[in-house]
Amino acid sequence: MMADRWRPRISFVIPAKAVICQRPMRSNSISRYLKSIADFWLTASVHFDAFLFEPRAYLTATKWWIKRKRVRARGQFAPLLSRSPRAYLLWTVRQERVRRRHSPIDVDRPIIALIDTRANCAPKDIAATLESLASEGLSVLLIGTPETPTLGAVTSQMDWGKRPWVLPIAAGDRIGPGTASAYRAAMDDPVRRLIYADDDLLTGRRRRKPYFKPDWNAELFAYGDYISGACIIRPFRSDFEVLEDRPDWAEQLTAKIAVETEPLHLPEMLHHRRSRPLISVPAVPLNVARDLPSVSIIVPTRNRVDLLRTCLDGVMATHYPDIEVIVVDNDSDDPDTLAYLGQLEPARYKVLRHAGAFNYSAINNRAVECANSRLICLLNNDIEVREAGWLATMATQALRPEVGAVGARLLYPDGRIQHAGVVIGVGNAAGHAHRFLHPDEEGYFQRHSLPQFTAAVTAACLVVEREKFLAVGGLNETDFAVAFNDVDLCLRLNQKGWQSLYEPRATLIHHESVSRGLDRDSVGSARFSGELAALKRLWKTDEIYDPYHHPHLSRASEQFAVAL
């Protein structure tokens, strides 16, 4: 979903006889017929836009579709189609077919909309917002009128005995049909005090740039307020007392209550806004913890001394007080590699021998047994270190009691993103978020540049406390010898309350699978199929959606494309 680009305007003329039937049609039948026509032509327009944007990629996706490689084709089509300025319009047209049932107004569950008019709001903007709220039957209080000049004056008019919910809304913003009933249906939990929904931006009457939001993500919220202005809050009267003269009272109120009780996300597009709060991308390195504990860095390897040397040279240049390096050799037979391993200083490197078929899980589990450090760092031998502070940053995050596995941002050698967290359900399995995006691009609300909780991270560069790793039984050697072992590990850590975390301030280069290959042979393909089946069996990745992703984002794309 990119900013609008120029596209040739296409006009479609529908012959009159195409919409004339020999027998009279009911009005709802005519409506469905016309919507089907609109859907068809809009779909064609989106595909045409995608073709113009990147013809070669579009034709490649078409080729895979014709060859009945549907999963691969969908994965290539999804980001192309989402770039069309009409993609979101197509999505909204299709969503309008699902009519939300309106519940009657429940006076015992009042929702009071608060509009702050003290910032020189245009009368037409206030009127547009009032019209939207009136259509949902919501009560409204204006801040900045002669009767209610301040926030305190407004709150004094509220009946606090009914424990009202408040909907802070900016002048000019609108809410969609069914918003009130959707919110009221989620109010059952008496402890709940904050419910938020998805939003898009308004330019005139045109809706654009939808934000299909994640479920509550405290780490992400710290860098970008994606809740205030698109939520309802059940405050206490005392919550307003310290906000009387603050112009950002709505944002402050949201942040305060979000800390006190976990917000609930409604994955529905309910709010249409004129603007959003700015996102704050971290501009400085993380303040690392004092007295960092020792880290055991585990590097499995087989031949490819060029990769291993680059990796270990980077480790030695890393700024960290206490590092134990464990190199696990899996049957290297290259003379140069064997010579290099023999020259490694025993005081700085521990070299283990692991014979037999490559089993990433078994290799690392054995090394963890021999490790002497509080922290474990799993590191592929094809990782290239570019900045010295990466390990201190990841270790600081891994020491947090609520955090499990910490993953770095990994780039391909050409500078594009290879890993920025893992999304469960992509391809009905798991995929790397924001893959192929350049770090300088905006991407999906700059998510690739923001520290955040994720469902999983890659073991190509992963830091975790040794006790937490052992508490969940380490890596699964039986079901995930090569693929998805990191996903399975992270999900088991998550179940224990140790959430995975993506940390972009630790950025490294990953020459992905260079030393091991890409499993294109029949044996590798069969093994991968078995591991994929195990992932679906154990974690239902073909059924569930990732709480840090969204059900309206495509399961075929790693680039957060709207699901069409």
Side-chain angles (χ1 to χ4, degrees):
M1 289 166 282
M2 300 175 60
D4 292 353
R5 294 166 57 99
W6 175 85
R7 288 287 184 274
R9 179 170 295 177
I10 307 173
S11 298
F12 298 102
V13 178
I14 305 174
K17 63 181 181 181
V19 293
I20 297 177
C21 299
Q22 293 181 353
R23 291 183 300 175
M25 299 176 66
R26 294 181 179 179
S27 59
N28 60 344
S29 299
I30 296 175
S31 176
R32 287 197 299 269
Y33 182 68
L34 293 176
K35 286 181 178 179
S36 297
I37 293 176
D39 185 290
F40 173 81
W41 289 118
L42 195 52
T43 300
S45 300
V46 169
H47 276 269
F48 187 67
D49 288 340
F51 173 76
L52 289 180
F53 185 85
E54 204 165 339
R56 180 175 296 180
Y58 184 88
L59 292 175
T60 299
T62 303
K63 177 190 73 174
W64 293 123
W65 186 266
I66 293 172
K67 289 186 174 183
R68 308 185 74 83
K69 302 289 186 179
R70 298 300 168 84
V71 173
R72 184 179 301 180
R74 289 191 184 101
Q76 296 182 9
F77 269 129
L80 293 174
L81 299 178
S82 71
R83 293 173 183 172
S84 167
R86 287 174 274 230
Y88 182 50
L89 176 59
L90 175 59
W91 181 88
T92 60
V93 167
R94 291 178 175 177
Q95 287 298 307
E96 286 176 359
R97 295 177 182 175
V98 182
R99 295 292 183 183
R100 193 191 321 280
R101 289 185 299 173
H102 292 252
S103 62
I105 296 176
D106 187 346
V107 294
D108 294 326
R109 293 181 175 180
I111 301 176
I112 303 172
L114 300 185
I115 307 175
D116 197 335
T117 66
R118 293 175 293 182
N120 298 321
C121 302
K124 64 176 184 178
D125 288 339
I126 298 174
T129 302
L130 290 174
E131 177 187 5
S132 171
L133 298 169
S135 67
E136 289 294 294
L138 297 184
S139 303
V140 181
L141 291 174
L142 302 180
I143 307 169
T145 67
E147 296 79 14
T148 52
T150 65
L151 181 63
V154 166
T155 56
S156 66
Q157 295 194 12
M158 296 168 61
D159 185 353
W160 292 97
K162 292 184 177 180
R163 304 182 71 196
W165 289 78
V166 168
L167 190 155
I169 186 169
D173 290 3
R174 291 174 169 267
I175 57 175
T179 295
S181 60
Y183 276 134
R184 287 193 173 100
M187 292 179 182
D188 292 335
D189 187 346
V191 178
R192 185 170 294 140
R193 298 181 59 205
L194 177 54
I195 307 171
Y196 68 96
D198 303 329
D199 61 55
D200 55 24
L201 291 182
L202 286 173
T203 302
R205 289 276 182 172
R206 180 169 163 266
R207 293 165 53 186
R208 63 184 184 87
K209 204 168 185 179
Y211 194 172
F212 297 107
K213 303 174 184 178
D215 287 354
W216 173 237
N217 192 322
E219 193 75 11
L220 181 65
F221 183 76
Y223 300 96
D225 177 1
Y226 61 90
I227 294 181
S228 66
C231 67
I232 61 170
I233 301 167
R234 185 164 58 80
F236 301 126
R237 186 166 187 171
S238 58
D239 292 327
F240 286 103
E241 293 177 356
V242 296
L243 302 172
E244 176 70 22
D245 297 321
R246 299 194 61 148
D248 61 344
W249 63 268
E251 292 82 358
Q252 293 295 323
L253 181 62
T254 301
K256 179 180 183 297
I257 295 180
V259 171
E260 297 172 352
T261 177
E262 183 171 315
L264 173 70
H265 175 216
L266 294 183
E268 302 183 44
M269 189 61 64
L270 301 183
H271 295 262
H272 314 303
R273 310 174 67 179
R274 296 293 177 183
S275 64
R276 294 186 176 110
L278 296 177
I279 296 172
S280 176
V281 176
V284 296
L286 177 71
N287 290 326
V288 300
R290 302 178 62 182
D291 302 322
L292 287 167
S294 62
V295 176
S296 294
I297 299 180
I298 300 170
V299 185
T301 193
R302 175 182 169 86
N303 296 327
R304 291 307 301 265
V305 66
D306 54 331
L307 294 174
L308 181 61
R309 180 183 288 109
T310 298
C311 177
L312 296 185
D313 286 349
V315 169
M316 287 301 104
T318 296
H319 294 166
Y320 198 87
D322 188 2
I323 296 176
E324 175 188 47
V325 181
I326 303 175
V327 179
V328 189
D329 178 40
N330 181 215
D331 288 340
S332 290
D333 54 12
D334 170 60
D336 291 339
T337 301
L338 294 174
Y340 177 76
L341 291 172
Q343 294 169 3
L344 293 176
E345 300 178 25
R348 305 177 71 182
Y349 302 94
K350 182 185 296 184
V351 179
L352 303 179
R353 306 292 179 180
H354 186 93
F358 180 78
N359 185 318
Y360 183 87
S361 297
I363 288 171
N364 282 282
N365 285 343
R366 182 188 173 199
V368 170
E369 292 175 359
C370 301
N372 298 310
S373 303
R374 177 179 172 184
L375 294 175
I376 298 295
C377 174
L378 307 184
L379 192 69
N380 280 16
N381 68 338
D382 54 357
I383 291 290
E384 180 180 349
V385 175
R386 287 292 184 89
E387 55 90 17
W390 67 277
L391 185 56
T393 296
M394 296 180 70
T396 297
Q397 297 286 34
L399 292 171
R400 292 165 52 180
E402 75 276 20
V403 170
V406 178
R409 177 167 63 182
L410 302 181
L411 307 180
Y412 288 111
D414 65 6
R416 295 179 301 164
I417 289 174
Q418 186 264 335
H419 168 267
V422 171
V423 177
I424 303 301
V426 168
N428 288 331
H432 286 188
H434 316 287
R435 192 199 291 263
F436 302 127
L437 190 70
H438 195 279
D440 292 336
E441 295 182 71
E442 179 185 357
Y444 193 73
F445 297 94
Q446 299 181 321
R447 290 269 295 271
H448 62 288
S449 297
L450 303 176
Q452 61 201 271
F453 292 122
T454 57
V457 293
T458 179
C461 181
L462 180 154
V463 176
V464 62
E465 287 193 273
R466 186 173 184 271
E467 287 188 1
K468 295 174 182 176
F469 181 90
L470 295 175
V472 298
L475 296 169
N476 184 333
E477 303 176 16
T478 303
D479 296 307
F480 305 109
V482 178
F484 304 123
N485 39 56
D486 44 10
V487 175
D488 174 73
L489 172 69
C490 289
L491 293 177
R492 284 184 282 120
L493 288 167
N494 297 350
Q495 281 186 332
K496 290 281 190 178
W498 300 315
Q499 190 62 48
S500 305
L501 187 141
Y502 162 64
E503 179 47 85
R505 286 169 290 192
T507 298
L508 304 94
I509 305 298
H510 186 200
H511 303 268
E512 183 184 25
S513 300
V514 170
S515 60
R516 189 179 56 81
L518 295 175
D519 296 331
R520 288 174 177 160
D521 60 280
S522 57
V523 175
S525 296
R527 176 198 51 73
F528 179 83
S529 296
E531 291 170 335
L532 176 59
L535 187 71
K536 293 178 180 179
R537 183 184 75 252
L538 294 173
W539 296 107
K540 310 298 181 186
T541 57
D542 53 341
E543 300 175 13
I544 64 172
Y545 81 88
D546 190 323
Y548 300 119
H549 201 239
H550 198 286
H552 288 312
L553 292 174
S554 174
R555 295 173 68 91
S557 174
E558 296 170 308
Q559 298 181 26
F560 290 65
V562 61
L564 298 177

